[in-house]
PDB file of all heavy atoms in Angstrom:
ATOM      1  N   TYR A  31      -9.227 -26.570  11.544  1.00 87.00           N
ATOM      2  CA  TYR A  31      -9.863 -25.387  12.089  1.00 87.00           C
ATOM      3  C   TYR A  31     -11.015 -24.945  11.183  1.00 87.00           C
ATOM      4  O   TYR A  31     -12.065 -24.493  11.619  1.00 87.00           O
ATOM      5  CB  TYR A  31      -8.897 -24.202  12.231  1.00 87.00           C
ATOM      6  CG  TYR A  31      -8.045 -24.235  13.453  1.00 87.00           C
ATOM      7  CD1 TYR A  31      -6.701 -23.878  13.436  1.00 87.00           C
ATOM      8  CD2 TYR A  31      -8.580 -24.651  14.710  1.00 87.00           C
ATOM      9  CE1 TYR A  31      -5.905 -23.889  14.577  1.00 87.00           C
ATOM     10  CE2 TYR A  31      -7.785 -24.668  15.835  1.00 87.00           C
ATOM     11  CZ  TYR A  31      -6.473 -24.252  15.780  1.00 87.00           C
ATOM     12  OH  TYR A  31      -5.722 -24.297  16.905  1.00 87.00           O
ATOM     13  N   ASN A  32     -10.736 -25.000   9.881  1.00 91.00           N
ATOM     14  CA  ASN A  32     -11.749 -24.564   8.932  1.00 91.00           C
ATOM     15  C   ASN A  32     -11.410 -25.090   7.528  1.00 91.00           C
ATOM     16  O   ASN A  32     -10.365 -25.690   7.341  1.00 91.00           O
ATOM     17  CB  ASN A  32     -11.887 -23.003   8.918  1.00 91.00           C
ATOM     18  CG  ASN A  32     -10.560 -22.314   8.555  1.00 91.00           C
ATOM     19  OD1 ASN A  32      -9.890 -22.731   7.614  1.00 91.00           O
ATOM     20  ND2 ASN A  32     -10.211 -21.274   9.288  1.00 91.00           N
ATOM     21  N   GLN A  34     -11.759 -23.724   3.406  1.00 95.00           N
ATOM     22  CA  GLN A  34     -12.077 -22.657   2.471  1.00 95.00           C
ATOM     23  C   GLN A  34     -12.218 -23.128   1.081  1.00 95.00           C
ATOM     24  O   GLN A  34     -11.434 -23.975   0.625  1.00 95.00           O
ATOM     25  CB  GLN A  34     -10.971 -21.560   2.512  1.00 95.00           C
ATOM     26  CG  GLN A  34     -11.138 -20.455   3.526  1.00 95.00           C
ATOM     27  CD  GLN A  34     -10.099 -19.372   3.380  1.00 95.00           C
ATOM     28  OE1 GLN A  34      -9.040 -19.401   3.965  1.00 95.00           O
ATOM     29  NE2 GLN A  34     -10.438 -18.373   2.588  1.00 95.00           N
ATOM     30  N   PHE A  36     -12.047 -21.627  -2.809  1.00 97.00           N
ATOM     31  CA  PHE A  36     -11.582 -20.523  -3.618  1.00 97.00           C
ATOM     32  C   PHE A  36     -11.933 -20.719  -5.068  1.00 97.00           C
ATOM     33  O   PHE A  36     -12.084 -21.843  -5.564  1.00 97.00           O
ATOM     34  CB  PHE A  36     -10.047 -20.385  -3.532  1.00 97.00           C
ATOM     35  CG  PHE A  36      -9.504 -20.087  -2.165  1.00 97.00           C
ATOM     36  CD1 PHE A  36      -9.181 -21.125  -1.283  1.00 97.00           C
ATOM     37  CD2 PHE A  36      -9.294 -18.764  -1.744  1.00 97.00           C
ATOM     38  CE1 PHE A  36      -8.641 -20.822  -0.040  1.00 97.00           C
ATOM     39  CE2 PHE A  36      -8.788 -18.486  -0.531  1.00 97.00           C
ATOM     40  CZ  PHE A  36      -8.430 -19.528   0.340  1.00 97.00           C
ATOM     41  N   GLN A  38     -10.280 -19.585  -8.882  1.00 96.00           N
ATOM     42  CA  GLN A  38      -9.141 -18.979  -9.579  1.00 96.00           C
ATOM     43  C   GLN A  38      -9.409 -18.921 -11.083  1.00 96.00           C
ATOM     44  O   GLN A  38      -9.649 -19.966 -11.707  1.00 96.00           O
ATOM     45  CB  GLN A  38      -7.843 -19.764  -9.286  1.00 96.00           C
ATOM     46  CG  GLN A  38      -6.614 -19.080  -9.868  1.00 96.00           C
ATOM     47  CD  GLN A  38      -5.324 -19.814  -9.522  1.00 96.00           C
ATOM     48  OE1 GLN A  38      -5.281 -21.034  -9.375  1.00 96.00           O
ATOM     49  NE2 GLN A  38      -4.239 -19.055  -9.416  1.00 96.00           N
ATOM     50  N   GLY A  41      -4.472 -17.276 -14.848  1.00 91.00           N
ATOM     51  CA  GLY A  41      -3.471 -16.235 -14.684  1.00 91.00           C
ATOM     52  C   GLY A  41      -3.764 -15.251 -13.557  1.00 91.00           C
ATOM     53  O   GLY A  41      -3.084 -14.200 -13.446  1.00 91.00           O
ATOM     54  N   LYS A  42      -4.705 -15.578 -12.741  1.00 93.00           N
ATOM     55  CA  LYS A  42      -5.125 -14.596 -11.659  1.00 93.00           C
ATOM     56  C   LYS A  42      -4.885 -15.193 -10.272  1.00 93.00           C
ATOM     57  O   LYS A  42      -4.577 -16.357 -10.114  1.00 93.00           O
ATOM     58  CB  LYS A  42      -6.619 -14.287 -11.800  1.00 93.00           C
ATOM     59  CG  LYS A  42      -7.023 -13.760 -13.200  1.00 93.00           C
ATOM     60  CD  LYS A  42      -6.491 -12.408 -13.458  1.00 93.00           C
ATOM     61  CE  LYS A  42      -7.041 -11.837 -14.775  1.00 93.00           C
ATOM     62  NZ  LYS A  42      -6.489 -10.524 -15.100  1.00 93.00           N
ATOM     63  N   GLY A  43      -5.053 -14.364  -9.296  1.00 94.00           N
ATOM     64  CA  GLY A  43      -5.000 -14.838  -7.922  1.00 94.00           C
ATOM     65  C   GLY A  43      -6.263 -15.572  -7.511  1.00 94.00           C
ATOM     66  O   GLY A  43      -7.153 -15.820  -8.315  1.00 94.00           O
ATOM     67  N   LEU A  44      -6.282 -15.935  -6.242  1.00 95.00           N
ATOM     68  CA  LEU A  44      -7.431 -16.704  -5.735  1.00 95.00           C
ATOM     69  C   LEU A  44      -8.464 -15.750  -5.076  1.00 95.00           C
ATOM     70  O   LEU A  44      -8.092 -14.777  -4.397  1.00 95.00           O
ATOM     71  CB  LEU A  44      -6.963 -17.668  -4.614  1.00 95.00           C
ATOM     72  CG  LEU A  44      -6.433 -19.013  -5.075  1.00 95.00           C
ATOM     73  CD1 LEU A  44      -5.174 -18.895  -5.900  1.00 95.00           C
ATOM     74  CD2 LEU A  44      -6.177 -19.904  -3.838  1.00 95.00           C
ATOM     75  N   SER A  46     -11.595 -15.783  -2.452  1.00 95.00           N
ATOM     76  CA  SER A  46     -12.259 -16.579  -1.443  1.00 95.00           C
ATOM     77  C   SER A  46     -13.719 -16.613  -1.664  1.00 95.00           C
ATOM     78  O   SER A  46     -14.353 -15.535  -1.831  1.00 95.00           O
ATOM     79  CB  SER A  46     -11.912 -16.026  -0.050  1.00 95.00           C
ATOM     80  OG  SER A  46     -12.555 -16.815   0.946  1.00 95.00           O
ATOM     81  N   LEU A  49     -15.940 -19.781   3.593  1.00 93.00           N
ATOM     82  CA  LEU A  49     -15.168 -20.385   4.706  1.00 93.00           C
ATOM     83  C   LEU A  49     -16.133 -21.065   5.631  1.00 93.00           C
ATOM     84  O   LEU A  49     -17.146 -20.455   6.054  1.00 93.00           O
ATOM     85  CB  LEU A  49     -14.353 -19.308   5.414  1.00 93.00           C
ATOM     86  CG  LEU A  49     -13.480 -19.824   6.594  1.00 93.00           C
ATOM     87  CD1 LEU A  49     -12.177 -19.066   6.686  1.00 93.00           C
ATOM     88  CD2 LEU A  49     -14.228 -19.751   7.922  1.00 93.00           C
ATOM     89  N   GLN A  51     -16.285 -22.899   9.235  1.00 90.00           N
ATOM     90  CA  GLN A  51     -15.534 -23.165  10.469  1.00 90.00           C
ATOM     91  C   GLN A  51     -15.777 -24.628  10.860  1.00 90.00           C
ATOM     92  O   GLN A  51     -16.777 -25.250  10.466  1.00 90.00           O
ATOM     93  CB  GLN A  51     -16.031 -22.255  11.598  1.00 90.00           C
ATOM     94  CG  GLN A  51     -15.775 -20.786  11.254  1.00 90.00           C
ATOM     95  CD  GLN A  51     -16.333 -19.889  12.322  1.00 90.00           C
ATOM     96  OE1 GLN A  51     -16.087 -20.033  13.507  1.00 90.00           O
ATOM     97  NE2 GLN A  51     -17.183 -18.937  11.905  1.00 90.00           N
ATOM     98  N   GLU A  98      -1.476 -22.220  11.351  1.00 72.00           N
ATOM     99  CA  GLU A  98      -2.173 -21.261  10.540  1.00 72.00           C
ATOM    100  C   GLU A  98      -2.030 -21.567   9.048  1.00 72.00           C
ATOM    101  O   GLU A  98      -2.461 -20.798   8.199  1.00 72.00           O
ATOM    102  CB  GLU A  98      -1.572 -19.838  10.793  1.00 72.00           C
ATOM    103  CG  GLU A  98      -1.715 -19.396  12.221  1.00 72.00           C
ATOM    104  CD  GLU A  98      -3.172 -19.402  12.695  1.00 72.00           C
ATOM    105  OE1 GLU A  98      -4.051 -18.946  11.960  1.00 72.00           O
ATOM    106  OE2 GLU A  98      -3.436 -19.880  13.805  1.00 72.00           O
ATOM    107  N   LYS A  99      -1.512 -22.735   8.778  1.00 82.00           N
ATOM    108  CA  LYS A  99      -1.190 -23.068   7.361  1.00 82.00           C
ATOM    109  C   LYS A  99      -2.360 -23.674   6.656  1.00 82.00           C
ATOM    110  O   LYS A  99      -3.075 -24.544   7.179  1.00 82.00           O
ATOM    111  CB  LYS A  99       0.023 -24.011   7.316  1.00 82.00           C
ATOM    112  CG  LYS A  99       1.290 -23.375   7.849  1.00 82.00           C
ATOM    113  CD  LYS A  99       2.496 -24.249   7.582  1.00 82.00           C
ATOM    114  CE  LYS A  99       2.518 -25.533   8.370  1.00 82.00           C
ATOM    115  NZ  LYS A  99       3.753 -26.316   8.127  1.00 82.00           N
ATOM    116  N   LEU A 100      -2.563 -23.260   5.423  1.00 89.00           N
ATOM    117  CA  LEU A 100      -3.562 -23.860   4.529  1.00 89.00           C
ATOM    118  C   LEU A 100      -2.899 -24.981   3.715  1.00 89.00           C
ATOM    119  O   LEU A 100      -1.810 -24.832   3.243  1.00 89.00           O
ATOM    120  CB  LEU A 100      -4.125 -22.814   3.540  1.00 89.00           C
ATOM    121  CG  LEU A 100      -5.241 -21.892   3.988  1.00 89.00           C
ATOM    122  CD1 LEU A 100      -5.573 -20.903   2.884  1.00 89.00           C
ATOM    123  CD2 LEU A 100      -6.482 -22.638   4.420  1.00 89.00           C
ATOM    124  N   PHE A 102      -3.741 -27.207   0.420  1.00 95.00           N
ATOM    125  CA  PHE A 102      -4.624 -27.079  -0.765  1.00 95.00           C
ATOM    126  C   PHE A 102      -4.749 -28.389  -1.504  1.00 95.00           C
ATOM    127  O   PHE A 102      -3.823 -29.208  -1.578  1.00 95.00           O
ATOM    128  CB  PHE A 102      -4.020 -26.047  -1.753  1.00 95.00           C
ATOM    129  CG  PHE A 102      -4.259 -24.611  -1.360  1.00 95.00           C
ATOM    130  CD1 PHE A 102      -3.433 -23.983  -0.485  1.00 95.00           C
ATOM    131  CD2 PHE A 102      -5.338 -23.930  -1.909  1.00 95.00           C
ATOM    132  CE1 PHE A 102      -3.633 -22.652  -0.138  1.00 95.00           C
ATOM    133  CE2 PHE A 102      -5.544 -22.622  -1.590  1.00 95.00           C
ATOM    134  CZ  PHE A 102      -4.696 -21.977  -0.711  1.00 95.00           C
ATOM    135  N   GLY A 103      -5.937 -28.548  -2.125  1.00 96.00           N
ATOM    136  CA  GLY A 103      -6.075 -29.568  -3.154  1.00 96.00           C
ATOM    137  C   GLY A 103      -5.585 -29.004  -4.486  1.00 96.00           C
ATOM    138  O   GLY A 103      -5.280 -27.821  -4.610  1.00 96.00           O
ATOM    139  N   LYS A 104      -5.592 -29.838  -5.519  1.00 95.00           N
ATOM    140  CA  LYS A 104      -5.127 -29.405  -6.815  1.00 95.00           C
ATOM    141  C   LYS A 104      -6.130 -28.721  -7.659  1.00 95.00           C
ATOM    142  O   LYS A 104      -5.864 -28.169  -8.705  1.00 95.00           O
ATOM    143  CB  LYS A 104      -4.517 -30.614  -7.582  1.00 95.00           C
ATOM    144  CG  LYS A 104      -3.301 -31.227  -6.927  1.00 95.00           C
ATOM    145  CD  LYS A 104      -2.749 -32.340  -7.728  1.00 95.00           C
ATOM    146  CE  LYS A 104      -1.466 -32.927  -7.028  1.00 95.00           C
ATOM    147  NZ  LYS A 104      -0.919 -34.032  -7.795  1.00 95.00           N
TER     148      LYS A 104
ATOM    149  N   TYR B  35       3.009 -18.257  -1.342  1.00 97.00           N
ATOM    150  CA  TYR B  35       2.778 -19.571  -1.922  1.00 97.00           C
ATOM    151  C   TYR B  35       3.394 -19.594  -3.336  1.00 97.00           C
ATOM    152  O   TYR B  35       3.518 -18.560  -4.014  1.00 97.00           O
ATOM    153  CB  TYR B  35       1.314 -19.853  -2.083  1.00 97.00           C
ATOM    154  CG  TYR B  35       0.567 -19.971  -0.770  1.00 97.00           C
ATOM    155  CD1 TYR B  35      -0.008 -18.900  -0.162  1.00 97.00           C
ATOM    156  CD2 TYR B  35       0.399 -21.255  -0.189  1.00 97.00           C
ATOM    157  CE1 TYR B  35      -0.727 -19.048   1.015  1.00 97.00           C
ATOM    158  CE2 TYR B  35      -0.303 -21.384   1.027  1.00 97.00           C
ATOM    159  CZ  TYR B  35      -0.857 -20.254   1.603  1.00 97.00           C
ATOM    160  OH  TYR B  35      -1.565 -20.387   2.782  1.00 97.00           O
ATOM    161  N   GLN B  37       2.763 -21.683  -7.060  1.00 96.00           N
ATOM    162  CA  GLN B  37       1.842 -22.528  -7.790  1.00 96.00           C
ATOM    163  C   GLN B  37       2.486 -22.967  -9.072  1.00 96.00           C
ATOM    164  O   GLN B  37       2.961 -22.181  -9.877  1.00 96.00           O
ATOM    165  CB  GLN B  37       0.551 -21.762  -8.058  1.00 96.00           C
ATOM    166  CG  GLN B  37      -0.512 -22.644  -8.697  1.00 96.00           C
ATOM    167  CD  GLN B  37      -1.846 -21.899  -8.899  1.00 96.00           C
ATOM    168  OE1 GLN B  37      -1.862 -20.702  -9.209  1.00 96.00           O
ATOM    169  NE2 GLN B  37      -2.944 -22.598  -8.676  1.00 96.00           N
ATOM    170  N   GLY B  40      -0.535 -28.243 -12.502  1.00 80.00           N
ATOM    171  CA  GLY B  40      -0.800 -29.622 -12.100  1.00 80.00           C
ATOM    172  C   GLY B  40      -0.530 -29.875 -10.611  1.00 80.00           C
ATOM    173  O   GLY B  40      -0.734 -31.005 -10.148  1.00 80.00           O
ATOM    174  N   GLY B  42      -0.919 -28.421  -6.404  1.00 85.00           N
ATOM    175  CA  GLY B  42      -1.615 -27.480  -5.502  1.00 85.00           C
ATOM    176  C   GLY B  42      -0.663 -26.382  -5.075  1.00 85.00           C
ATOM    177  O   GLY B  42       0.552 -26.468  -5.321  1.00 85.00           O
ATOM    178  N   LEU B  45       3.264 -23.767   0.347  1.00 94.00           N
ATOM    179  CA  LEU B  45       3.659 -22.663   1.212  1.00 94.00           C
ATOM    180  C   LEU B  45       5.170 -22.517   1.260  1.00 94.00           C
ATOM    181  O   LEU B  45       5.876 -23.483   1.553  1.00 94.00           O
ATOM    182  CB  LEU B  45       3.099 -22.896   2.618  1.00 94.00           C
ATOM    183  CG  LEU B  45       3.350 -21.821   3.686  1.00 94.00           C
ATOM    184  CD1 LEU B  45       2.613 -20.539   3.273  1.00 94.00           C
ATOM    185  CD2 LEU B  45       2.907 -22.304   5.014  1.00 94.00           C
ATOM    186  N   GLN B  50       3.548 -14.338  11.125  1.00 89.00           N
ATOM    187  CA  GLN B  50       2.400 -14.101  11.955  1.00 89.00           C
ATOM    188  C   GLN B  50       2.407 -12.749  12.627  1.00 89.00           C
ATOM    189  O   GLN B  50       1.387 -12.266  13.124  1.00 89.00           O
ATOM    190  CB  GLN B  50       2.224 -15.195  13.012  1.00 89.00           C
ATOM    191  CG  GLN B  50       1.928 -16.562  12.393  1.00 89.00           C
ATOM    192  CD  GLN B  50       1.926 -17.685  13.383  1.00 89.00           C
ATOM    193  OE1 GLN B  50       2.617 -17.618  14.369  1.00 89.00           O
ATOM    194  NE2 GLN B  50       1.112 -18.694  13.143  1.00 89.00           N
ATOM    195  N   PHE B  88       4.325 -19.381 -10.634  1.00 97.00           N
ATOM    196  CA  PHE B  88       3.381 -18.321 -10.330  1.00 97.00           C
ATOM    197  C   PHE B  88       3.441 -18.143  -8.785  1.00 97.00           C
ATOM    198  O   PHE B  88       3.188 -19.144  -8.091  1.00 97.00           O
ATOM    199  CB  PHE B  88       1.995 -18.678 -10.833  1.00 97.00           C
ATOM    200  CG  PHE B  88       0.966 -17.574 -10.756  1.00 97.00           C
ATOM    201  CD1 PHE B  88       1.260 -16.343 -11.248  1.00 97.00           C
ATOM    202  CD2 PHE B  88      -0.294 -17.792 -10.203  1.00 97.00           C
ATOM    203  CE1 PHE B  88       0.325 -15.315 -11.196  1.00 97.00           C
ATOM    204  CE2 PHE B  88      -1.229 -16.812 -10.159  1.00 97.00           C
ATOM    205  CZ  PHE B  88      -0.928 -15.565 -10.649  1.00 97.00           C
ATOM    206  N   LEU B  90       2.111 -16.402  -5.279  1.00 97.00           N
ATOM    207  CA  LEU B  90       0.957 -15.747  -4.699  1.00 97.00           C
ATOM    208  C   LEU B  90       1.201 -15.363  -3.290  1.00 97.00           C
ATOM    209  O   LEU B  90       1.735 -16.142  -2.472  1.00 97.00           O
ATOM    210  CB  LEU B  90      -0.280 -16.702  -4.761  1.00 97.00           C
ATOM    211  CG  LEU B  90      -0.828 -16.950  -6.154  1.00 97.00           C
ATOM    212  CD1 LEU B  90      -1.587 -18.267  -6.220  1.00 97.00           C
ATOM    213  CD2 LEU B  90      -1.712 -15.783  -6.566  1.00 97.00           C
ATOM    214  N   LEU B  98      -4.782 -16.382  16.272  1.00 62.00           N
ATOM    215  CA  LEU B  98      -4.132 -17.649  16.453  1.00 62.00           C
ATOM    216  C   LEU B  98      -5.080 -18.703  17.080  1.00 62.00           C
ATOM    217  O   LEU B  98      -5.674 -18.446  18.079  1.00 62.00           O
ATOM    218  CB  LEU B  98      -2.889 -17.528  17.325  1.00 62.00           C
ATOM    219  CG  LEU B  98      -1.632 -17.085  16.619  1.00 62.00           C
ATOM    220  CD1 LEU B  98      -0.501 -16.855  17.607  1.00 62.00           C
ATOM    221  CD2 LEU B  98      -1.175 -18.095  15.597  1.00 62.00           C
ATOM    222  N   GLY B  99      -5.175 -19.801  16.428  1.00 59.00           N
ATOM    223  CA  GLY B  99      -6.060 -20.884  16.911  1.00 59.00           C
ATOM    224  C   GLY B  99      -7.508 -20.668  16.622  1.00 59.00           C
ATOM    225  O   GLY B  99      -8.310 -21.436  17.059  1.00 59.00           O
ATOM    226  N   SER B 101     -10.931 -20.573  14.420  1.00 62.00           N
ATOM    227  CA  SER B 101     -11.470 -21.270  13.286  1.00 62.00           C
ATOM    228  C   SER B 101     -11.948 -20.287  12.202  1.00 62.00           C
ATOM    229  O   SER B 101     -12.288 -20.705  11.110  1.00 62.00           O
ATOM    230  CB  SER B 101     -12.616 -22.171  13.711  1.00 62.00           C
ATOM    231  OG  SER B 101     -13.660 -21.403  14.273  1.00 62.00           O
ATOM    232  N   TYR B 102     -11.944 -18.987  12.539  1.00 68.00           N
ATOM    233  CA  TYR B 102     -12.292 -18.026  11.496  1.00 68.00           C
ATOM    234  C   TYR B 102     -11.066 -17.228  11.157  1.00 68.00           C
ATOM    235  O   TYR B 102     -10.856 -16.136  11.711  1.00 68.00           O
ATOM    236  CB  TYR B 102     -13.432 -17.147  12.007  1.00 68.00           C
ATOM    237  CG  TYR B 102     -13.989 -16.333  10.838  1.00 68.00           C
ATOM    238  CD1 TYR B 102     -14.901 -16.930   9.963  1.00 68.00           C
ATOM    239  CD2 TYR B 102     -13.600 -15.068  10.593  1.00 68.00           C
ATOM    240  CE1 TYR B 102     -15.423 -16.236   8.867  1.00 68.00           C
ATOM    241  CE2 TYR B 102     -14.074 -14.329   9.518  1.00 68.00           C
ATOM    242  CZ  TYR B 102     -14.974 -14.927   8.668  1.00 68.00           C
ATOM    243  OH  TYR B 102     -15.502 -14.269   7.598  1.00 68.00           O
ATOM    244  N   ASN B 103     -10.234 -17.740  10.347  1.00 78.00           N
ATOM    245  CA  ASN B 103      -9.019 -17.071   9.954  1.00 78.00           C
ATOM    246  C   ASN B 103      -8.887 -17.177   8.426  1.00 78.00           C
ATOM    247  O   ASN B 103      -8.074 -17.908   7.928  1.00 78.00           O
ATOM    248  CB  ASN B 103      -7.824 -17.648  10.639  1.00 78.00           C
ATOM    249  CG  ASN B 103      -6.621 -16.757  10.578  1.00 78.00           C
ATOM    250  OD1 ASN B 103      -6.729 -15.541  10.411  1.00 78.00           O
ATOM    251  ND2 ASN B 103      -5.411 -17.335  10.731  1.00 78.00           N
ATOM    252  N   GLU B 104      -9.710 -16.398   7.733  1.00 87.00           N
ATOM    253  CA  GLU B 104      -9.822 -16.479   6.314  1.00 87.00           C
ATOM    254  C   GLU B 104      -8.601 -15.817   5.657  1.00 87.00           C
ATOM    255  O   GLU B 104      -8.200 -14.759   6.028  1.00 87.00           O
ATOM    256  CB  GLU B 104     -11.090 -15.779   5.867  1.00 87.00           C
ATOM    257  CG  GLU B 104     -11.467 -15.911   4.437  1.00 87.00           C
ATOM    258  CD  GLU B 104     -12.830 -15.311   4.119  1.00 87.00           C
ATOM    259  OE1 GLU B 104     -13.409 -14.662   5.036  1.00 87.00           O
ATOM    260  OE2 GLU B 104     -13.294 -15.491   2.964  1.00 87.00           O
ATOM    261  N   GLN B 105      -8.054 -16.503   4.638  1.00 90.00           N
ATOM    262  CA  GLN B 105      -6.939 -15.961   3.920  1.00 90.00           C
ATOM    263  C   GLN B 105      -7.416 -15.288   2.639  1.00 90.00           C
ATOM    264  O   GLN B 105      -8.271 -15.819   1.945  1.00 90.00           O
ATOM    265  CB  GLN B 105      -5.900 -17.055   3.573  1.00 90.00           C
ATOM    266  CG  GLN B 105      -5.124 -17.511   4.819  1.00 90.00           C
ATOM    267  CD  GLN B 105      -3.926 -18.330   4.460  1.00 90.00           C
ATOM    268  OE1 GLN B 105      -3.369 -18.283   3.357  1.00 90.00           O
ATOM    269  NE2 GLN B 105      -3.421 -19.089   5.410  1.00 90.00           N
ATOM    270  N   PHE B 107      -6.010 -13.357  -0.981  1.00 95.00           N
ATOM    271  CA  PHE B 107      -4.906 -13.495  -1.880  1.00 95.00           C
ATOM    272  C   PHE B 107      -4.734 -12.252  -2.787  1.00 95.00           C
ATOM    273  O   PHE B 107      -5.738 -11.607  -3.168  1.00 95.00           O
ATOM    274  CB  PHE B 107      -5.043 -14.744  -2.780  1.00 95.00           C
ATOM    275  CG  PHE B 107      -4.694 -16.004  -2.028  1.00 95.00           C
ATOM    276  CD1 PHE B 107      -5.565 -16.564  -1.116  1.00 95.00           C
ATOM    277  CD2 PHE B 107      -3.486 -16.620  -2.271  1.00 95.00           C
ATOM    278  CE1 PHE B 107      -5.219 -17.716  -0.416  1.00 95.00           C
ATOM    279  CE2 PHE B 107      -3.147 -17.804  -1.595  1.00 95.00           C
ATOM    280  CZ  PHE B 107      -4.024 -18.325  -0.682  1.00 95.00           C
ATOM    281  N   GLY B 108      -3.484 -12.004  -3.158  1.00 96.00           N
ATOM    282  CA  GLY B 108      -3.146 -10.995  -4.158  1.00 96.00           C
ATOM    283  C   GLY B 108      -3.307 -11.542  -5.563  1.00 96.00           C
ATOM    284  O   GLY B 108      -3.590 -12.739  -5.750  1.00 96.00           O
ATOM    285  N   PRO B 109      -3.019 -10.748  -6.591  1.00 96.00           N
ATOM    286  CA  PRO B 109      -3.196 -11.165  -7.990  1.00 96.00           C
ATOM    287  C   PRO B 109      -2.066 -12.008  -8.555  1.00 96.00           C
ATOM    288  O   PRO B 109      -2.203 -12.558  -9.619  1.00 96.00           O
ATOM    289  CB  PRO B 109      -3.279  -9.821  -8.726  1.00 96.00           C
ATOM    290  CG  PRO B 109      -2.486  -8.914  -7.875  1.00 96.00           C
ATOM    291  CD  PRO B 109      -2.716  -9.289  -6.480  1.00 96.00           C
TER     292      PRO B 109
END
Side-chain angles (χ1 to χ4, degrees):
Chain A
Y31 278 141
N32 58 46
Q34 270 187 269
F36 296 90
Q38 186 176 31
K42 306 290 187 183
L44 276 62
S46 180
L49 179 144
Q51 299 175 54
E98 300 303 314
K99 297 190 290 185
L100 278 177
F102 282 84
K104 295 182 180 180
Chain B
Y35 294 89
Q37 187 176 35
L45 182 65
Q50 293 175 329
F88 190 48
L90 289 158
L98 276 174
S101 61
Y102 192 81
N103 197 23
E104 190 174 5
Q105 288 194 21
F107 283 75

